[in-house]
Amino acid sequence: SAADVFKALGHPARVAMVRRLGEGECCVCDLVETAGLGWSTVSRHLAVLRNVGLLSSDKRGNQVFYRLECPCITSFYGCIESVISGTPATIQLEASE
């Protein structure tokens, strides 16, 4: 549900990881660096995001790569930042048909 997605996005480390993934797919090692947390903690955060459908992953050799399944979330973050800063939102999200 939408509430589950918002809950999954409710942690600063997960926000940082989603922002990083907005730049393109990356391996867990990159996300560990982005979040500044340990591997097991990052893996748990990634599982939360994957379980609500925001991320997908595939294993290549010994590395796991993640990508956003909902890339419009980065535009949503822009809207949220405008609310926080008190400036009018300039980003418009388009509804899919």
Side-chain angles (χ1 to χ4, degrees), residues 50-83:
R50 193 178 54 243
N51 289 339
V52 297
L54 290 175
L55 305 181
S56 62
S57 64
D58 68 277
K59 190 170 183 176
R60 299 179 200 154
N62 290 331
Q63 294 184 319
V64 179
F65 286 81
Y66 283 85
R67 72 191 135 292
L68 279 177
E69 288 298 319
C70 183
C72 64
I73 197 73
T74 58
S75 296
F76 177 70
Y77 280 149
C79 291
I80 297 300
E81 287 172 1
S82 70
V83 169

